[in-house]
Amino acid sequence: MNILVDMSGIEKHFPGVHALKSVQFELREGEVHALMGENGAGKSTLMKILSGVYTRDGGSVQVMGQDVDFAGPREAQDAGVGIIHQELSLMNDLTVAQNIFIGREPRNFLGILDEVLLNKNAKDIFEKMNVGMDVGAEVGTMTIAKQQMVEIAKALSYNSKILIMDEPTAALNDTEIQELFRIIDQLKADGVGIVYISHKMDEIKQISDRVTVMRDGEFVGVRDSKDTSIEDIISMMVGRDLELETEQKPDTSDNMTALEVKNLNRGKFVKNVSFSLKKGEILGFAGLMGAGRTEVARVIFGADRLESGEIFIDGEQKFIDTPSKAVEAGIGYLSEDRKHFGLVLGMDVRTNISLASIARFGSSLGILNEAKISKTATDFISKLDIRTPSEKQEVKLLSGGNQQKVVIAKWLLRDCDILIFDEPTRGVDVGAKSEIYKILRDLAASGKAIIVISSELPEILRLSHRIAVMCEGNLTGFLPANSSQEEIMRLATATMQSSNNKNNQISEMSS
Amino acid sequence: MNDTTINSSQLGANSLVERAKRNQHRFWAFSGLIFLVIGFSLASPNFFQTSNIISILQATSVNGVLAIAATLVIITAGIDLSVGTLMTFCAVVAGVLLTNLGLPMYIGIPGALLSGFLAGALSGFFVAKLNIPPFIATLGMMLVYKGLSLAICGGRPIYFNDTEGFVDISTGSIIGHIIPAFPIPNGVLILFLVAIFASFILTRTILGRFIFALGSNEEALRLSGVNTDRWKIVVYSLAGGICAIAGILLASRINSAQPAIGQGYELDAIAAVVIGGTSLSGGKGTMLGTIIGALIISVVANGLRILSVPQEWQIVVTGSIIILAVYADQLRRGKT
Ligand SMILES: Nc1ncnc2c1ncn2[C@@H]1O[C@H](COP(=O)(O)OP(=O)(O)OP(=O)(O)O)[C@@H](O)[C@H]1O
Ligand SMILES: [Mg+2]
């Protein structure tokens, strides 16, 4: 078998961070090679070096037997290295097709952009991927999952011999993930070597041939996937064994109602949604992409305006048309899209953590107590184990999972009574995931009412005390915590199977 | 724990390097200023004279104060094109209150400041609540204030001859009174006080934090539960109030409110902001940079005048400096 990539002794320093310490990595033809490690272990950095985004401080890189020293992503692409970055990097105002072929647009004989051919080429790629997509739609109007599909299509369009996928499935649900795996199998058969980064452990067993594990910027080891258990990989990642907690779910049915919503409506994603949430309860929201879960959260939080419907908090009706009113009323919402809606990337960790609670750090004249902000931020940094050289580091320089922890810290600090977490563990490593689950449980135990939206069914099942399922904007039913994945999937596709009895289903299945 | 990745001594050294890097633009702008001063001093013996330096500072005071107002708005990723004519409008208001109505200064001056503040709030309202892009909203208001000023005065200047002490606001020298060797005019003193005040707002207060956040990611700020509309109105109001200060400084210096001037000042102000390293796309900027930028513009104008370069060419040079300054900044960014 040919060796496509051979990296050895790779070194990389950032201000205050020794990100890679003599790391090695090898990729063979036709293999899927999983790259594993905790948040901030250096996975993305290593792959950015391979794809020409960063230059290395030391070590050597061979691509298909040639020593290479890429000056930029363009050179890497020409050498056959393609990458799907962890952070989506599409241009919001351009269409899907324009994004995919940016910088290599087809031109007609007059040298003028050939928009028709452009769209056709894009359509071909999605057809090959077996994914439905409106290639003329503006990317900015699409959900994260769709945008992720566009990134994947863009990477495929280069026909690279080496394809790096940095957490491609963080925003995808099971069906979409299976589609992606089918694409990966096809690529493998064509001899493409794939580097696969993910924090979803079950995927690793399913898709990868070999696993390389990193920890704190160091190479820990490489194994054949079929001879290695998930537990082994985890203990290589975190350097110790991680016990899976089993937790009794409390009965919250007699608790006071914290939030009740009636007949919420907005466009085609929120149709007559009604539910109530008890103090101390964790209500999971399951559903397929485009089911309207995020949209429901956004209207409750006042981020989008309601067309009709009523919201009651502690039994009192509230009119919430802006997020500031929602927060005043005690509702917090952690967005699924941390880059655009969760973080001010150019500002530092401490500012981001304090952003929703800044009044607490100001005097009556609005003068800030910087020492107190730093102290609070440092507390959260150690509590959530956020890997950053200091609380004054710009958030955009943190690894993806650590950025996610910063957003969580922001809402923990704000201390709302009702918390809506939209994909709270996106991009977060296994260990930190358990930490976050524990935090959510503790919050619930202390009487907070919590909604968790997640595209990962195991996460929903593990966390929720009760599960609400949505399909095409309708709330199709509630399930108890011990339901099976099949029962959830049935409700998640309920209105698709029987589109004519849509409306009577919604109202009465609510408990 | 994060034991291996962080090394404290390395961190200390790095944060120094970081800080130097962050301030690099201001460093270059400041070096540019020094370079210009030295160059002009060598070219003409008349340049580095106390009286000339003071006249440069005096000339900077009005544009400097306007540039401070513009900086606040620009960091929020907005723009205020109305600063020049609003300044004039506020001067005219002062004229009406003090000369036409014969009110005392302790009513006339706060009245003029209030008019600037309210005018700014109006622009802020258009931008935040009616979602009119700042460029358009303030372009419209620029013309509105120009027309209003002319209409109120009937096209003629209002003089402040009857208001005792009015000219001293800008040209008197409290410092010179105390230390006769430093006859720094009050206008310059006021410029520096306003700069210190604005800098304090930017770096030490909730408002300042929000000004930067508005310019970096307004939506993330809104979704953090912050009433972004209200804070935007606050920023434009504050900028309007600072324009009024510039209006009073200008009126006091020329002892009159001239309704026809004002337009064009916004470009000098924005030029100073940009030369000082504030990004027009928002989220970045400092008051010190803006003051340096304003000084560079005045030094160039003054130096070229002393060297008898015709006015037309002075304008050409100023334009070129703007482009050079921003290009230098881009070069620096490209390298890192
Ligand atoms: N441009 C940068 N400047 C400074 N530090 C950086 C930069 N990029 C990454 N780092 C730091 O390098 C370390 C490794 O980051 P990297 O993004 O490679 O982690 P990762 O393994 O991909 O983590 P995750 O699973 O969270 O995505 C982190 O501590 C991160 O904060
Ligand atoms: Mg990463």
Side-chain angles (χ1 to χ4, degrees), chain A residues 355-493:
Chain A
L355 207 56
S357 336
I358 200 124
R360 238 179 274 171
F361 300 98
S363 69
S364 51
L365 284 175
I367 298 167
L368 289 168
N369 182 341
E370 302 288 352
K372 201 168 143 200
I373 296 181
S374 285
K375 165 91 177 51
T376 309
T378 338
D379 287 350
F380 274 104
I381 287 171
S382 62
K383 187 169 163 199
L384 299 183
D385 192 14
I386 301 172
R387 309 275 167 106
T388 172
S390 85
E391 80 281 3
K392 299 214 170 92
Q393 183 83 332
E394 277 184 32
V395 162
K396 67 167 176 243
L397 301 180
L398 266 52
S399 81
N402 285 303
Q403 291 182 3
Q404 183 69 21
K405 293 185 194 172
V406 172
V407 195
I408 292 178
K410 175 172 84 175
W411 286 111
L412 291 183
L413 173 61
R414 176 65 218 201
D415 194 27
C416 299
D417 291 332
I418 300 165
L419 279 161
I420 308 176
F421 288 97
D422 198 348
E423 307 287 356
T425 62
R426 168 165 297 164
V428 167
D429 68 48
V430 262
K433 236 179 210 172
S434 315
E435 276 310 307
I436 291 171
Y437 292 162
K438 185 171 173 318
I439 288 170
L440 292 188
R441 285 193 194 106
D442 290 349
L443 285 173
S446 72
K448 310 269 183 212
I450 295 175
I451 292 177
V452 174
I453 301 173
S454 173
S455 48
E456 286 179 63
L457 281 185
E459 176 163 293
I460 291 271
L461 289 168
R462 206 166 139 191
L463 266 179
S464 314
H465 301 160
R466 194 161 58 107
I467 301 164
V469 189
M470 288 190 68
C471 178
E472 297 181 322
N474 302 297
L475 214 164
T476 47
F478 293 91
L479 293 168
N482 54 6
S483 308
S484 68
Q485 301 211 3
E486 289 68 37
E487 286 172 289
I488 295 178
M489 284 315 288
R490 196 176 52 75
L491 286 177
T493 52

Side-chain angles (χ1 to χ4, degrees), chain A residues 146-190:
Chain A
K146 283 249 172 186
Q147 295 189 17
Q148 182 69 63
M149 282 299 183
V150 177
E151 287 277 13
I152 292 170
K154 182 174 171 187
L156 291 177
S157 73
Y158 285 98
N159 296 317
S160 312
K161 190 82 181 120
I162 296 151
L163 186 55
I164 303 161
M165 302 188 172
D166 196 349
E167 302 197 30
T169 59
L172 303 185
N173 68 30
D174 287 344
T175 336
E176 294 147 1
I177 291 172
Q178 293 315 318
E179 262 332 304
L180 177 67
F181 285 179
R182 207 184 43 71
I183 298 167
I184 288 179
D185 279 337
Q186 220 172 319
L187 292 170
K188 259 175 79 166
D190 296 342

Side-chain angles (χ1 to χ4, degrees), chain A residues 13 15-18 21 216 298 301-303 323-324 327 339-341 343-344 347 350-351 355-356 358-359 362 366-368 370 373 387-389 410-411, chain B residues 1-7 10-11 14 18 21-22 200 203-210 212-213 216-217 219-228 284:
Chain A
H13 291 269
V17 182
H18 191 169
K21 301 164 195 160
D216 284 334
R298 284 180 60 98
F301 188 60
S324 63
V327 171
K339 188 169 158 193
H340 292 111
F341 300 148
L343 294 168
V344 184
M347 298 182 94
R350 56 201 283 283
T351 303
L355 207 56
I358 200 124
I367 298 167
L368 289 168
E370 302 288 352
I373 296 181
R387 309 275 167 106
T388 172
K410 175 172 84 175
W411 286 111
Chain B
M1 271 309 297
N2 193 5
D3 42 12
T4 42
T5 41
I6 295 165
N7 165 324
Q10 195 185 0
L11 192 66
N14 269 312
E18 289 277 278
K21 255 193 188 160
R22 216 176 304 137
F200 182 81
T203 54
R204 293 285 141 83
T205 67
I206 294 181
L207 174 59
R209 202 71 21 115
F210 286 169
F212 283 107
S216 309
N217 190 346
E219 190 60 9
L221 185 65
R222 190 177 80 97
L223 291 178
S224 297
V226 174
N227 190 337
T228 45
K284 294 233 160 356

Side-chain angles (χ1 to χ4, degrees), chain B residues 123-297:
Chain B
S123 294
F125 176 81
F126 293 151
V127 170
K129 292 287 184 191
L130 307 187
N131 278 323
I132 301 173
F135 189 93
I136 308 293
T138 59
L139 178 71
M141 293 317 286
M142 168 172 103
L143 296 174
V144 167
Y145 298 132
K146 182 181 181 184
L148 281 178
S149 303
L150 288 165
I152 291 172
C153 300
R156 283 179 306 278
I158 304 176
Y159 293 95
F160 293 95
N161 295 332
D162 301 337
T163 311
E164 211 177 311
F166 188 74
V167 287
D168 292 338
I169 295 176
S170 174
T171 50
S173 176
I174 292 181
I175 296 182
H177 230 74
I178 305 165
I179 319 166
F182 287 101
I184 308 265
N186 291 340
V188 177
L189 180 66
I190 291 174
L191 167 65
F192 284 102
L193 291 179
V194 172
I196 289 167
F197 168 73
S199 188
F200 182 81
I201 295 268
L202 268 189
T203 54
R204 293 285 141 83
T205 67
I206 294 181
L207 174 59
R209 202 71 21 115
F210 286 169
I211 288 176
F212 283 107
L214 277 169
S216 309
N217 190 346
E218 182 180 339
E219 190 60 9
L221 185 65
R222 190 177 80 97
L223 291 178
S224 297
V226 174
N227 190 337
T228 45
D229 288 352
R230 193 174 70 200
W231 287 100
K232 257 195 219 170
I233 295 175
V234 170
V235 177
Y236 281 87
S237 308
L238 184 61
I242 294 175
C243 289
I245 296 178
I248 291 163
L249 285 180
L250 180 65
S252 149
R253 202 168 89 207
I254 57 182
N255 195 23
S256 61
Q258 303 275 350
I261 61 170
Q263 200 166 358
Y265 273 74
E266 66 281 344
L267 296 183
D268 271 352
I270 294 170
V273 176
V274 170
I275 293 173
T278 295
S279 152
L280 281 183
S281 49
K284 294 233 160 356
T286 59
M287 286 302 159
L288 184 56
T290 294
I291 298 296
I292 294 172
L295 282 170
I296 287 181
I297 292 181

Side-chain angles (χ1 to χ4, degrees), chain A residues 14 19 39-45 54 86 167 199 397-401:
Chain A
F14 292 114
N39 295 132
K43 307 178 294 292
S44 298
T45 306
Y54 292 152
Q86 181 175 11
E167 302 197 30
H199 290 293
L397 301 180
L398 266 52
S399 81

